[in-house]
Amino acid sequence: MRGAGDGRGLVSHSRYQPMADQKPSLVRGMFTGAIHDELLFPYPATLDDRDPAEARVVSRLLREIRRMPGELFDSAELDESETIPEPVIRAFGELGLLGLTIPREYGGLGLSATAYARVFATLSTVDASLAVLVGVHCGLGSKAIVLFGTPEQKTRYLPQLARGSVLAAYALTEPDVGSDAQNVKATATLADDGTHWVLEGRKIWIGNGHCAGVIATFAQTTIERRGERTTRPTAFLVRPDMPGFRVVGTVRKLGIRGSTQAELSYEHLVVPSDHVLGHVGKGFGVAVHVLNAGRLTLAAGCTGGSKALLDHMTRYAKQRVQFGHSLADYEITQRKFAQLAADAYAADSMTGALAALVDRADSDSALEAACTKVFTSELLWRAADEMVQVAGGRGFVKPYPYERHLRDARINRIFEGANEILRLFIALNGIQGPAAHLREVGTALRRPLRNLGLVSGFMTARVASRLGATSRVEAVVHERLAEHVRYFEKHVAELKAETERAVIKHRRAIAERQLVLERLADMAIDLYATVVTIARTQRLIESRGAAACEREIDLCDLLCVTAGRRFRSNRVALSGREDQVDHTRQRIAGAVRAADGYFVDDAILDE
Ligand SMILES: Cc1cc2nc3c(=O)[nH]c(=O)nc-3n(C[C@H](O)[C@H](O)[C@H](O)COP(=O)(O)OP(=O)(O)OC[C@H]3O[C@@H](n4cnc5c(N)ncnc54)[C@H](O)[C@@H]3O)c2cc1C
């Protein structure tokens, strides 16, 4: 074993420090036993209190959105026809729904992150495909220009994007590059006279790509670094009328069928030099930053969708009679109602907290965004699955909408950072603080963090200083929540202990011990869900009094108990009791790989 003084150097944080080093994070702190509860307590006030004028705009938009189904579109038809008709997109533009994130000076509504998340949540409940169209346009394509565009690029593109006369897209994924997005294969070469770049490459599954008027895209460029030539991604704005741009075709899909994803080809694509987005060689930062913002949108959509599915489930179960009673009378159905309600309450609380963090911009919310994305996307999938189960055969067949809801829900665990990758991201970032004093571990962490594709890069900041953070929740909470807070504090201490134990036990290999990392991430996600739910409930108690919050306190109780159980099961696994099982898993996986799949003789026929 190498000692701490082997001279290999600590994790080099300096290259990423400026973007995140000074900002605290509640989730990152928990891995070191620190509780930055000042970032969460008091839980943010509602938009109506914070900004009544903006709340009125949001309420108007929600009314318009809720009127649309049946009047402007029919979701079953969008799904069947696998398209969103032009008049729908036009109507969205006229209502301002395509300019939600674009500043007012460019003709958009300039909504805060909180307001945008709220609108998006409702949009997702009326149609998931339309939500994807808007999410790609507002949350990714336009957002890239808002965040990184030059004044000229903004003046040129944002007004048309805000009106909806032009749609935006965001093209990162390639046939050989998905999660590992730092390694895009598309290339960009600057012309000798410096007037333009020439792009070569392919992008796949690009939302709105078949019809977008402007596309934020990424390609490798050669740059000088410490006197040596190397390659780094650069972001560009491309348009379909640029010579060399071609839409190869569109794909058919399991869900969100109304939305369209296209394959794009850049064959000697000529892009004027003033269409670089951000700085040459800094495209990865652009990609990460935009996708981080996108995770809030996705979480809001999943939360809205989960709440709507619980509404569907309740209505269905109340009217469906079997064995002389409605399904809602049975305990098993009631367990489903209760768990989904408690989880939706947590998801809603996490989304609201994340939106406020993004608006405040005084903390690093990347880990909170990752936790919220994983929690909400997995909740939506469970909710859709349980809805199908409660509806029985009607859950599986058309014209009932439940099979479509299930299909539509599935993509959220895959795009905008697959959940496996986000779990690795949460854990690898979390263990950096405890690992920092073990030089060899720090060095080993550098590689997986850098290679974690979309979610790494500027997130590899040194863990925030423990100054100002304690291992206790300093905020005063109501006595009804006090026990949950005590457990939370105990569990944070346990997360710290398990993190340190894992780092010391696995040392350099920790970066490859994905099952350990996955458990640490799951513990952090459950802890974060717990504390956010407590903070929200405390806020409600303060504003209405405990007697008026009995139902919310019940939701909080159930969430804390179930999340606590999962936490303990992961902690027990990490404490060594699962080691043997993990070894068995590894041996079986080895046998599966060697046999190219299932390897046992057939139980019935000896072929
Ligand atoms: C409907 C749809 C819309 C999309 N829209 C867009 C868009 O508008 N713009 C755009 O640029 N892209 C878009 N994408 C692409 C999407 O972002 C990618 O599919 C996603 O990033 C995952 O990449 P991949 O599909 O290549 O999966 P892969 O990266 O091949 O991953 C496959 C699986 O392996 C897991 N995995 C990968 N690496 C590891 C590891 N190191 N350890 C353990 N597990 C790992 C992943 O978690 C995942 O479960 C879209 C995709 C779809 C299907």
Side-chain angles (χ1 to χ4, degrees):
M1 248 189 278
R2 282 172 202 279
D6 67 355
R8 293 162 69 93
L10 288 164
V11 176
S12 171
H13 303 288
S14 56
R15 38 184 306 211
Y16 302 116
Q17 259 178 346
M19 303 204 65
D21 203 26
Q22 304 308 317
K23 294 185 177 180
S25 149
L26 180 58
V27 173
R28 185 178 280 127
M30 289 186 322
F31 282 90
T32 65
I35 299 177
H36 287 285
D37 61 327
E38 75 282 1
L39 294 174
L40 187 59
F41 290 84
Y43 185 87
T46 60
L47 195 59
D48 309 71
D49 285 341
R50 272 147 63 191
D51 188 341
E54 188 172 52
R56 279 194 294 279
V57 174
V58 170
S59 298
R60 172 183 67 80
L61 290 172
L62 300 196
R63 277 194 302 277
E64 302 279 5
I65 291 170
R66 288 184 181 124
R67 255 210 308 268
M68 287 175 176
E71 228 173 69
L72 183 64
F73 61 82
D74 172 50
S75 286
E77 242 171 66
L78 301 185
D79 182 63
E80 288 289 335
S81 63
E82 301 188 21
T83 184
I84 295 170
E86 261 307 307
V88 178
I89 299 175
R90 238 190 344 268
F92 268 48
E94 283 159 14
L95 284 172
L97 289 171
L98 297 176
L100 296 171
T101 52
I102 296 175
R104 280 186 216 153
E105 59 193 294
Y106 298 106
L109 293 179
L111 294 187
S112 63
T114 304
Y116 173 56
R118 187 64 194 81
V119 173
F120 196 82
T122 295
L123 190 56
S124 302
T125 67
V126 300
D127 189 85
S129 294
L130 285 166
V132 167
L133 180 142
V134 171
V136 170
H137 173 83
C138 290
L140 297 178
S142 302
K143 191 79 181 176
I145 303 176
V146 171
L147 290 175
F148 293 97
T150 61
E152 292 73 29
Q153 288 167 348
K154 289 180 182 179
T155 308
R156 178 161 187 188
Y157 289 114
L158 291 181
Q160 21 179 342
L161 292 170
R163 278 194 304 277
S165 54
V166 158
L167 281 182
Y170 177 90
L172 179 63
T173 306
E174 299 178 355
D176 292 331
V177 180
S179 302
D180 186 15
Q182 191 166 14
N183 293 313
V184 288
K185 300 280 184 284
T187 58
T189 313
L190 186 61
D192 289 343
D193 62 4
T195 57
H196 63 273
W197 293 80
V198 176
L199 271 61
E200 306 282 354
R202 282 205 163 204
K203 300 286 174 182
I204 55 170
W205 309 331
I206 305 309
N208 304 340
H210 64 303
C211 64
V214 56
I215 300 165
T217 196
F218 303 84
Q220 296 288 354
T221 46
T222 303
I223 59 157
E224 286 263 329
R225 230 177 108 74
R226 299 192 193 104
E228 282 182 20
R229 285 162 76 78
T230 182
T231 55
R232 288 281 185 280
T234 294
F236 295 90
L237 289 176
V238 301
R239 288 197 318 264
D241 59 347
M242 291 174 175
F245 180 95
R246 188 164 65 90
V247 176
V248 179
T250 57
V251 281
R252 304 199 64 202
K253 310 182 293 289
L254 175 74
I256 54 165
R257 287 187 180 166
S259 72
T260 301
Q261 283 71 28
E263 177 172 349
L264 309 177
S265 162
Y266 309 155
E267 293 158 31
H268 215 72
L269 170 62
V270 176
V271 181
S273 343
D274 63 357
H275 277 56
V276 169
L277 192 55
H279 297 288
V280 173
K282 301 285 183 192
F284 189 62
V286 175
V288 171
H289 212 80
V290 172
L291 281 172
N292 253 329
R295 251 161 236 150
L296 166 63
T297 315
L298 189 140
C302 291
T303 300
S306 302
K307 292 197 284 184
L309 281 165
L310 181 56
D311 296 350
H312 276 292
M313 185 188 288
T314 318
R315 282 195 296 268
Y316 184 89
K318 278 166 76 175
Q319 58 78 38
R320 173 71 176 164
V321 175
Q322 288 292 284
F323 303 100
H325 289 275
S326 84
L327 297 181
D329 288 343
Y330 297 116
E331 278 191 7
I332 290 177
T333 315
Q334 290 166 7
R335 167 178 53 75
K336 295 177 186 192
F337 288 172
Q339 195 59 56
L340 286 181
D343 289 347
Y345 181 57
D348 200 22
S349 306
M350 291 167 91
T351 303
L354 177 61
L357 278 183
V358 172
D359 279 331
R360 265 174 24 197
D362 59 354
S363 69
D364 172 8
S365 56
L367 294 192
E368 285 72 9
C371 289
T372 306
K373 192 272 186 181
V374 171
F375 189 93
T376 55
S377 61
E378 294 183 357
L379 167 61
L380 180 67
W381 176 246
R382 280 198 305 281
D385 181 51
E386 287 290 25
M387 179 63 239
V388 166
Q389 192 67 15
V390 166
R394 288 169 187 78
F396 198 75
V397 302
K398 298 172 196 267
Y400 301 94
Y402 315 121
E403 55 85 29
R404 171 164 48 82
H405 293 154
L406 184 82
R407 290 189 282 107
D408 286 347
R410 189 61 185 84
I411 187 62
N412 293 292
R413 289 166 53 201
I414 297 173
F415 62 13
E416 307 219 13
N419 287 7
E420 290 80 3
I421 303 297
L422 290 178
R423 283 187 162 94
L424 294 176
F425 169 66
I426 292 164
L428 283 169
N429 272 280
I431 65 177
Q432 271 195 86
H437 62 280
L438 281 176
R439 291 181 175 209
E440 55 173 331
V441 183
T443 308
L445 279 184
R446 215 182 318 173
R447 188 176 156 277
L449 268 172
R450 250 211 326 265
N451 290 348
L452 245 189
L454 274 188
V455 283
S456 71
F458 77 77
M459 291 308 141
T460 47
R462 183 188 287 276
V463 69
S465 153
R466 286 199 53 178
L467 275 182
T470 69
S471 54
R472 307 202 73 80
V473 172
E474 297 293 338
V476 176
V477 296
H478 190 269
E479 58 184 17
R480 293 287 300 278
L481 306 175
E483 196 185 352
H484 298 318
V485 170
R486 274 197 299 278
Y487 270 109
F488 171 72
E489 291 170 345
K490 177 172 173 283
H491 287 169
V492 169
E494 288 173 1
L495 176 64
K496 171 184 189 252
E498 289 306 333
T499 303
E500 286 176 356
R501 188 212 297 259
V503 167
I504 290 165
K505 179 174 172 185
H506 298 286
R507 302 187 80 90
R508 291 177 61 77
I510 184 72
E512 315 301 329
R513 294 278 72 82
Q514 291 197 342
L515 297 185
V516 171
L517 296 171
E518 191 175 44
R519 287 173 192 133
L520 288 171
D522 280 332
M523 288 162 82
I525 293 168
D526 275 324
L527 277 185
Y528 184 59
T530 299
V531 71
V532 173
T533 307
I534 294 171
R536 168 104 179 275
T537 312
Q538 173 63 22
R539 171 112 210 173
L540 293 175
I541 292 174
E542 279 166 18
S543 63
R544 292 192 218 148
C549 294
E550 284 302 331
R551 296 185 311 174
E552 286 81 1
I553 292 171
D554 276 344
L555 292 174
C556 182
D557 286 347
L558 184 58
L559 184 281
C560 290
V561 167
T562 47
R565 278 187 199 144
R566 287 192 299 265
F567 180 92
R568 277 189 292 279
S569 138
N570 278 311
R571 191 204 59 212
V572 168
L574 279 178
S575 66
R577 299 205 205 155
E578 195 75 359
D579 281 2
Q580 283 307 320
V581 187
D582 283 346
H583 286 134
T584 307
R585 288 187 178 105
Q586 278 165 5
R587 283 197 305 278
I588 294 174
V592 167
R593 288 177 70 173
D596 272 339
Y598 189 68
F599 51 80
V600 183
D601 290 343
D602 191 274
I604 295 176
L605 188 66
D606 200 4
E607 281 185 286

